[in-house]
Each structure stands twice: as C-alpha cells, then as structure tokens.
Amino acid sequence: KNKINLGCGYGHNTGYKIAIKNNFKFVARIDNDMVMPKKFFSEIIKNFDDKNIQAVSPKILYKKYKNRIWWMGTKIKHNLKFQRNMRDYKYGMKDRNFKIKKIRSDAIAGCASIMRVKRLKKVGLSDKDFFYGPEDIELSRRLSINNNSLLVDLNSKIYHGVSKSFTKIPLKR
C-alpha cells in the first residue's frame, strides 16, 4: 500500500534539501566509490566564476586503470537512457593532455558533479521515480539554461571504483 522509494533520486534529495535549507551556494554529488585528489574542490569550484555555468563534472577516470577515461561529457540527444549516451568517444579511451580543457556537455555525471544550489532550488530536486541510471540525465536537462551552462572540466580529475556491471569490456593498463 505505502510505496517506499529508496533510489538515487530519493537519496540525493536528502542532501539537496540540506543545501537549500542552509543557503549553500553549491552542492556536490560524489558517489562513495570515488577517490578525489587533494585539491579537487578548490580547483573545480573556480569554474563557477562564470555566472552562466550551472553545474560541473570533472573528467572521471577508472580507479583501477588510472590512465583510462570512464566519462568526460556527452551529447544526450533525445534519449534519457544514460548508458546509451554515456560517451561520444571510445570506451576506456586513454587519458591524455587534451588541447581543449573544458567541454560543454548536455549532462553532468551523477556520480561526480557540483551544481549551483540556487538553480537546483529553482528547477526542483531529483525525480524520485528514477531509481538508478537516468536520474542524472533528467536533472541535467532541468539544470541547463542553455547549451553552455553544463561543463566538464578536463583539468579536474576524479577516480571511479565503478561497479562490476559497468566493466564488461576488459581494459589493459
């Protein structure tokens, strides 16, 4: 009779509500299997000097394969299925010194992102009906105010433990 929803959207909203209630400027959404370099927050937060930027994700590398990219932005087109649109580049691509240091993206990564609390308050919290997966794509669409407001900072790196269900293709070091 009483439906209990314990998915990602529901869990993230707990933190979002605290950020809104306390008038925080930013809220970070970082999964528990992430490893952050020491100056991660002090560096990535600088992206918000541009008032147009509403949310930022770092370049996400595999924890086990530190020279391989798990995620660095995407174009989601019309599909809300994150797994189908997760990357516009080769799976497990080698990390390198990219000429472009910041990429405008259609989505921020659900496992590692920072967003403006003011914008989150305006567009609403995560949709609790999304248990796992596309909740970050759906929220990204609402957070975006134009084609330039979601960003992936390739200078900022974070390392993802990644669930076994997402590592079907073996990567070589």
Side-chain angles (χ1 to χ4, degrees):
K1 213 174 190 183
N2 293 333
K3 184 179 172 186
I4 297 174
N5 186 329
L6 299 175
C8 290
Y10 184 84
H12 294 143
N13 287 345
T14 302
Y16 297 159
K17 287 175 185 175
I18 292 169
I20 290 169
K21 182 181 176 183
N22 289 286
N23 295 314
F24 293 168
K25 282 181 132 180
F26 307 102
V27 63
R29 188 170 135 185
I30 308 291
D31 278 6
N32 65 341
D33 62 346
M34 293 292 185
V35 176
M36 291 178 287
K38 267 189 178 179
K39 295 185 179 185
F40 175 78
F41 285 112
S42 62
E43 292 299 318
I44 201 166
I45 204 77
K46 292 176 185 175
N47 289 291
F48 290 100
D49 290 345
D50 178 342
K51 301 293 183 210
N52 187 49
I53 300 300
Q54 300 303 308
V56 180
S57 284
K59 176 170 47 175
I60 304 171
L61 303 168
Y62 288 91
K63 181 179 165 186
K64 187 174 180 179
Y65 307 102
K66 290 183 177 15
N67 66 338
R68 298 292 179 161
I69 297 170
W70 184 77
W71 191 83
M72 60 177 214
T74 191
K75 298 290 181 203
I76 59 175
K77 304 169 190 144
H78 68 281
N79 195 333
L80 284 177
K81 293 182 179 177
F82 184 61
Q83 287 76 7
R84 288 199 183 155
N85 297 295
M86 188 171 156
R87 57 182 65 80
D88 300 350
Y89 38 88
K90 187 180 174 189
Y91 176 85
M93 183 171 79
K94 246 187 178 175
D95 187 22
R96 62 183 199 279
N97 190 11
F98 295 96
K99 287 181 184 177
I100 298 171
K101 299 297 180 188
K102 296 177 186 206
I103 296 173
R104 302 303 174 153
S105 181
D106 287 347
I108 53 171
C111 59
S113 57
I114 300 171
M115 59 201 97
R116 290 186 190 275
V117 171
K118 185 178 180 179
R119 182 71 182 158
L120 183 64
K121 184 177 179 180
K122 183 175 183 173
V123 302
L125 306 178
S126 284
D127 186 330
K128 294 182 287 188
D129 289 337
F130 287 102
F131 184 79
Y132 174 77
E135 87 285 346
D136 47 0
I137 300 297
E138 190 278 331
L139 181 59
S140 293
R141 285 189 177 222
R142 288 187 289 120
L143 286 170
S144 180
I145 54 174
N146 59 42
N147 291 337
N148 296 314
S149 60
L150 304 181
L151 183 73
V152 176
D153 183 347
L154 298 180
N155 291 317
S156 296
K157 296 179 182 181
I158 197 166
Y159 300 91
H160 195 337
V162 185
S163 159
K164 293 267 187 231
S165 61
F166 285 105
T167 57
K168 294 177 183 174
I169 301 172
L171 299 172
K172 295 183 180 175
R173 290 182 188 223

